[in-house]
Amino acid sequence: MSTPFSEIYTIFLNDITDQRLVDLLTPEELGDILEDYLMESVAVHFKECKKDLNDMDLEAKVFNSNLTHEEKVILSKGMKLKWLQSNFIANESRLVSRLTTKDYRIFSPANHLKILLEINNETKTEIRELIMSYLYDHLIYGGR
């Protein structure tokens, strides 16, 4: 049995509140971006998966194994981290570096960046905790 990428995309899109991602892009553009986020999640954030996440069909947009809901959630959290870093933290960092001291105080992008970095760190912690729980369950119970 296989797991369509779209199942993970749905979990990810339900976890974020940026409607612009869906509204401003064509379905093809959105699919390309979501696939990029998913591939980073596979390669960087969930290397510990007990299933071979590299066994996929990119044309059919499916993993060739049946992923559990827990595995899908971990992948979607990795996607969220990529989304935060590429869409908000990088843009806010560039904005802070271009503003004068007066602008900096008026708009306070530093506070905004601080909040974004906190969300980024919370998401990283959440991913680590989910993976630790996942690994523990597989070690103790052999998976669920």
Side-chain angles (χ1 to χ4, degrees):
M1 210 156 130
S2 61
T3 303
F5 293 174
S6 61
E7 291 180 13
I8 299 154
Y9 297 166
T10 299
I11 296 168
F12 164 75
L13 290 170
N14 286 332
D15 195 27
I16 65 169
T17 57
D18 188 7
Q19 193 60 35
R20 295 173 301 162
L21 189 64
V22 176
D23 292 342
L24 296 177
L25 301 172
T26 66
E28 295 79 25
E29 291 170 331
L30 179 61
D32 290 344
I33 289 171
L34 293 178
E35 186 174 324
D36 178 54
Y37 293 174
L38 181 59
M39 292 306 110
E40 178 159 324
S41 185
V42 167
V44 176
H45 303 296
F46 198 24
K47 295 183 274 189
E48 301 87 353
C49 187
K50 298 301 178 185
K51 297 184 179 129
D52 183 4
L53 295 176
N54 292 308
D55 181 16
M56 63 181 89
D57 183 339
L58 290 174
E59 286 188 29
K61 309 287 188 213
V62 297
F63 289 102
N64 291 323
S65 39
N66 190 24
L67 301 181
T68 65
H69 184 69
E70 181 180 29
E71 291 162 338
K72 294 174 198 175
V73 168
I74 293 170
L75 287 169
S76 74
K77 294 298 180 183
M79 290 175 67
K80 181 178 179 180
L81 194 57
K82 170 70 174 176
W83 169 75
L84 280 167
Q85 292 170 344
S86 62
N87 290 305
F88 295 100
I89 295 172
N91 291 337
E92 194 69 29
S93 295
R94 284 191 291 267
L95 177 63
V96 168
S97 69
R98 291 177 183 253
L99 293 176
T100 65
T101 305
K102 180 182 173 191
D103 293 331
Y104 195 75
R105 274 188 258 126
I106 293 171
F107 296 110
S108 192
N111 287 336
H112 190 232
L113 179 59
K114 180 181 176 191
I115 291 167
L116 290 172
L117 290 171
E118 287 173 5
I119 293 169
N120 185 66
N121 289 335
E122 289 169 6
T123 303
K124 284 181 181 178
T125 299
E126 186 177 11
I127 291 169
R128 276 194 301 273
E129 289 173 356
L130 287 167
I131 291 173
M132 291 302 292
S133 174
Y134 171 82
L135 293 173
Y136 178 79
D137 289 348
H138 279 270
L139 179 67
I140 301 300
Y141 304 111
R144 292 183 190 177

